Amino acid sequence: MYAIVDIETTGGYAASNAITEVAIVLHDGNRELKRYETLVRPGMSIPRYVQSLTGISDEMVSGAPSFEQIAGQVYEWLKDAVFIAHNVNFDYSFLKHQLKDCGYELDCKKLCTVRLSRKTFPGAPSYSLGNICKYLGITIPNRHRAGGDADATVRLFEQILKAGGLEHIRTMLKGNSREQYLPVNLPAGQLDQLPMVPGVYYFHDQKGKVIYVGKAKNLRHRVTSHFSNNKPGRQKQEFLRNIYSISHETTGTELMAFLLECIEIKRLWPAYNRSLKRFEPSYGLYIYEDRNGYSRLIVEKRKRQLQPIYTFSLLLEGQTLLRRLVKEYRLCPKLCFIQRDNDTCIGLTAGDCDGACEHKESPQHYNDRVEAAVSALIKSLPSFTLLDDGRHPEEKASSSSNRDGCMAWATCPPTPPSATPTN
């Protein structure tokens, strides 16, 4: 027995929204047997844009039963049937969530007519309910109402059966089938192609943009775990709706997968990653040569196109470091932008400046001290390189962090036995 379902709601996710209308059509695979349809009082105001889309207003549902009043009947209709809907996880997540609130645990097999349509009618321009019905010549007289969309889904399901879709249905209903729980836009074959090795995986949206990066000890198992539950919250539901494809990069070990994940999150800044995201330091210490040939140090806001010598979260932190370098290496406060050009150099007055600001000291002599200051600063910063196993015996992987805190990851041939390792 199939229960073909459509609902209208106050919003896009179950945790903070409610059902305003429900329609259930019981179908035995040959014909419609009976139907149930009712408006539902949601217990909250229906947003104006939803009223405009569905035509269901607050006044229309004011005298309707609450979901609690119909929960028992809805559960009886669904509990022993195969749950069918267009984008099934949306309708199922709402009904499961609201039935659970009423003391009923819905746990039935599911079929998605979006996924069935893709398999049965490949090459259609679009698989949204309106477009696939137009493509197949199915009329929807009462669009965006539960009864009208349920009727359209019934007609679509019947055409799928007539076109030989029964084999696809049997495959999807097998216990090990991924079709019942995968996001509606993600092809099941992409999950089957993932290797069971360590690596990093990428979820892409409809335009191919990376929206999530994750690492795994076992790529296939970890990616599958993202879809093993259908939480009703907004973030989870939006996340699932936006996944259209998966790509991956294998690594030799879980450690290298973790390091590559860190690098890729910082590089791509995916919308749905929360951990490992942090704001970069706002300021940097830069060096440049002025038109008179003098090297000048300056603390400025971070610039994408320039690599800083050192980075800071606060401007005061950078100025404090620069003042220390000026004092220790007898640098000119004016050339380091600690003092304005129209004032007498405090370094000259204190005997700490050799006159570079007034061209009394040659650029070469002054630049030597600037170079010494920069070299000492760089040497004081930590750096490291990690070597680990690669993806096969002939490969090694390395990850390094430079003195500015930037990380890099690479694979390379193994070091020959005769080579002498260096620090």
Side-chain angles (χ1 to χ4, degrees):
M1 186 65 67
Y2 303 103
I4 300 173
V5 181
D6 193 86
I7 61 173
E8 301 302 329
T9 69
T10 60
Y13 56 98
S16 298
N17 290 285
I19 295 172
T20 59
E21 189 174 35
V22 59
I24 305 171
V25 177
L26 291 185
H27 199 286
D28 65 359
N30 296 303
R31 60 189 178 89
E32 177 182 325
L33 300 180
K34 58 179 180 176
R35 65 185 292 128
Y36 174 79
E37 183 177 352
T38 182
L39 288 166
V40 181
R41 188 173 72 253
M44 62 177 67
S45 179
I46 302 173
R48 296 291 292 274
Y49 73 91
V50 175
Q51 293 188 37
S52 176
L53 177 68
T54 64
I56 301 174
S57 65
D58 290 328
E59 291 74 21
M60 288 173 62
V61 297
S62 61
S66 66
F67 190 83
E68 187 176 9
Q69 291 174 295
I70 66 169
Q73 187 172 1
V74 168
Y75 179 73
E76 289 299 320
W77 279 59
L78 297 178
K79 67 175 184 178
D80 296 322
V82 176
F83 190 110
I84 299 179
H86 206 71
N87 187 4
V88 68
N89 286 327
F90 174 83
D91 302 76
Y92 189 82
S93 68
F94 265 90
L95 286 167
K96 182 178 178 68
H97 179 70
Q98 295 216 233
L99 284 169
K100 186 174 183 179
D101 285 346
C102 296
Y104 299 94
E105 191 63 45
L106 182 64
D107 185 19
C108 52
K109 291 187 175 182
K110 298 177 289 180
L111 283 175
C112 179
T113 49
V114 176
R115 303 186 76 87
L116 278 170
S117 298
R118 283 200 179 104
K119 291 179 177 294
T120 310
F121 308 112
S126 169
Y127 294 94
S128 68
L129 183 60
N131 287 333
I132 191 63
C133 284
K134 183 178 180 182
Y135 178 75
L136 297 173
I138 299 170
T139 58
I140 310 178
N142 200 13
R143 186 74 171 106
H144 293 304
R145 290 296 300 270
D149 287 353
D151 286 338
T153 307
V154 170
R155 304 286 89 78
L156 174 60
F157 180 63
E158 290 173 344
Q159 290 217 23
I160 289 170
L161 290 172
K162 289 178 182 177
L166 187 58
E167 283 304 312
H168 297 310
I169 292 172
R170 288 171 176 163
T171 300
M172 289 183 177
L173 291 178
K174 288 180 180 178
N176 60 351
S177 173
R178 308 186 194 282
E179 300 282 357
Q180 293 190 47
Y181 62 83
L182 285 182
V184 64
N185 299 306
L186 180 65
Q190 291 198 6
L191 203 61
D192 295 328
Q193 292 171 8
L194 290 172
M196 299 174 72
V197 298
V200 169
Y201 56 93
Y202 307 82
F203 291 152
H204 302 261
D205 66 10
Q206 189 173 12
K207 295 181 179 179
K209 183 179 179 180
V210 175
I211 59 173
Y212 185 83
V213 176
K215 59 91 178 173
K217 185 176 182 180
N218 182 312
L219 281 166
R220 189 183 301 176
H221 288 173
R222 178 67 186 98
V223 172
T224 300
S225 72
H226 279 283
F227 315 127
S228 60
N229 63 71
N230 195 22
K231 292 181 179 178
R234 177 183 62 83
Q235 183 178 342
K236 179 74 172 185
Q237 292 301 311
E238 286 185 357
F239 176 58
L240 295 176
R241 280 198 292 268
N242 286 325
I243 298 174
Y244 280 74
S245 63
I246 307 171
S247 61
H248 70 277
E249 176 76 37
T250 60
T251 60
T253 65
E254 187 180 9
L255 173 60
M256 283 297 157
F258 174 76
L259 294 172
L260 180 57
E261 178 198 37
C262 295
I263 293 165
E264 292 294 73
I265 289 174
K266 289 188 68 175
R267 182 177 72 88
L268 299 168
W269 209 256
Y272 289 99
N273 281 97
R274 294 294 180 266
S275 61
L276 301 179
K277 273 186 175 180
R278 66 176 187 269
F279 289 103
E280 297 290 342
S282 302
Y283 297 91
L285 176 65
Y286 297 93
I287 184 171
Y288 74 95
E289 187 176 297
D290 67 17
R291 61 182 181 178
N292 295 313
Y294 291 94
S295 295
R296 306 190 69 165
L297 295 175
I298 184 172
V299 176
E300 280 276 9
K301 283 191 174 182
R302 288 291 298 268
K303 303 180 187 299
R304 285 193 175 185
Q305 68 274 20
L306 296 178
Q307 181 67 30
I309 300 168
Y310 199 92
T311 57
F312 317 92
S313 297
L314 300 173
L315 178 60
L316 179 61
E317 185 184 353
Q319 291 174 338
T320 300
L321 175 64
L322 186 53
R323 288 178 186 278
R324 179 171 64 80
L325 295 178
V326 166
K327 186 172 182 61
E328 289 182 8
Y329 292 90
R330 296 175 57 80
L331 304 182
C332 176
K334 280 192 174 183
L335 296 188
C336 293
F337 297 94
I338 290 175
Q339 186 184 354
R340 290 180 297 180
D341 286 340
N342 57 353
D343 292 338
T344 303
C345 180
I346 57 175
L348 283 172
T349 305
D352 294 331
C353 173
D354 293 340
C357 51
E358 296 184 356
H359 301 171
K360 293 178 181 179
E361 181 183 17
S362 69
Q364 182 179 351
H365 287 158
Y366 181 78
N367 294 348
D368 286 345
R369 294 203 306 281
V370 174
E371 185 178 339
V374 171
S375 296
L377 181 62
I378 291 174
K379 287 178 182 178
S380 70
L381 301 177
S383 64
F384 67 85
T385 299
L386 291 175
L387 292 176
D388 204 348
D389 293 335
R391 294 164 290 192
H392 47 79
E394 290 74 34
E395 182 181 68
K396 287 290 182 183
S398 68
S399 180
S400 62
S401 173
N402 66 22
R403 290 185 167 95
D404 188 42
C406 297
M407 295 183 65
W409 179 87
T411 57
C412 53
T415 304
S418 59
T420 302
T422 58
N423 291 331

